[in-house]
Amino acid sequence: MGLKCADLDELRGLIGDCHRCALGDTRTTLVFGVGPSNADIVLVGEAPGRNEDLNGEPFVGAAGKLLDELLSSIGMARNGLYIANVLKCRPPGNRNPQAHEIETCTPFLREQLRLIDPALVVTLGNFSTRLLLATNEPITRLHGKVCHAGGMSILPSYHPAAAIYDRSKRNDLFSDFARIPDLVVSSADETVSAERMNGAEHG
Ligand code: SF4
């Protein structure tokens, strides 16, 4: 599925009342993603859970509360960034996303990322990390390390839901998030230098 939309509204319209995979038959609400269309940071989780399916917003409930704490620890609030998931519809019983669901749904996420073009993508958990880094490495090995893939700077970390009752993952999440402000600044600096070099080459 090759997508090329003018903006996020057009993409949302194109997705419509999606039934391209079977999750369209079991979801309550399609969770498209929320945040500014020009956000510097995009967080990518796994899939809507029960609360998200009912509310239509990503990261509500206990995992959302921990996410708010993480953002607050670096002086940010969720309305300053964009939040999306690998899948836009809830897998029944919160089971793991299946390969054919990921394959069918993720062109929408990739188009969101292309349109927003953030300085930094933070992948939360194994599914978004493996998808965007095209790797099978587990998140335990990758978290906190900045990677570059598909033209994006990516910081993998744990999914907040996995850290609610796990003190060590929780500490790692806070350490990983502490890197975000500097990474956004350095990514913006790299973009400015690249633009200057292009200007020097072509000007
Ligand atoms: S998960 Fe994605 S592909 Fe499947 S029905 Fe929902 S929006 Fe469509």
Side-chain angles (χ1 to χ4, degrees):
M1 193 185 342
L3 294 175
K4 201 97 178 186
C5 295
D7 54 32
L8 292 174
D9 287 343
E10 186 184 333
L11 175 62
R12 181 64 191 89
L14 186 148
I15 295 172
D17 180 29
C18 188
H19 285 75
R20 291 170 179 86
C21 82
L23 298 182
D25 298 336
T26 51
R27 68 158 187 257
T28 308
T29 317
L30 188 152
V31 182
F32 176 67
V34 290
S37 59
N38 61 349
D40 281 336
I41 302 166
V42 176
L43 305 185
V44 183
E46 180 176 315
R50 191 173 67 89
N51 291 315
E52 291 79 8
D53 179 61
L54 295 173
N55 285 277
E57 281 208 24
F59 285 97
V60 291
K65 193 162 167 288
L66 178 53
L67 179 62
D68 287 336
E69 282 178 42
L70 286 158
L71 292 173
S72 170
S73 73
I74 53 171
M76 301 188 76
R78 65 165 71 197
N79 61 8
L81 39 84
Y82 197 93
I83 309 177
N85 283 310
V86 169
L87 294 185
K88 305 212 174 298
C89 302
R90 182 195 184 205
N94 290 358
R95 64 156 170 75
N96 284 340
Q98 294 179 355
H100 68 279
E101 295 161 354
I102 294 173
E103 189 185 339
T104 308
C105 197
T106 49
F108 302 139
L109 172 66
R110 291 189 190 281
E111 182 63 356
Q112 274 173 307
L113 292 170
R114 188 190 70 81
L115 288 164
I116 297 168
D117 191 22
L120 182 69
V121 176
V122 182
T123 53
L124 301 172
N126 269 317
F127 282 93
S128 54
T129 301
R130 287 176 171 169
L131 175 78
L132 294 181
L133 293 184
T135 180
N136 283 320
E137 289 283 317
I139 191 66
T140 43
R141 301 253 305 256
L142 292 171
H143 82 89
K145 297 176 184 153
V146 185
C147 309
H148 299 277
M152 298 179 286
S153 296
I154 298 173
L155 176 70
S157 192
Y158 291 105
H159 194 288
I164 292 171
Y165 301 111
D166 185 324
R167 176 60 58 182
S168 119
K169 282 200 179 92
R170 194 184 162 94
N171 291 343
D172 284 342
L173 250 177
F174 275 91
S175 304
D176 295 345
F177 267 63
R179 302 201 59 195
I180 291 176
D182 284 348
L183 290 172
V184 171
V185 169
S186 62
S187 176
D189 286 348
E190 279 173 23
T191 305
V192 170
S193 327
E195 280 168 1
R196 283 204 185 117
M197 278 181 70
N198 286 338
E201 281 168 14
H202 300 301

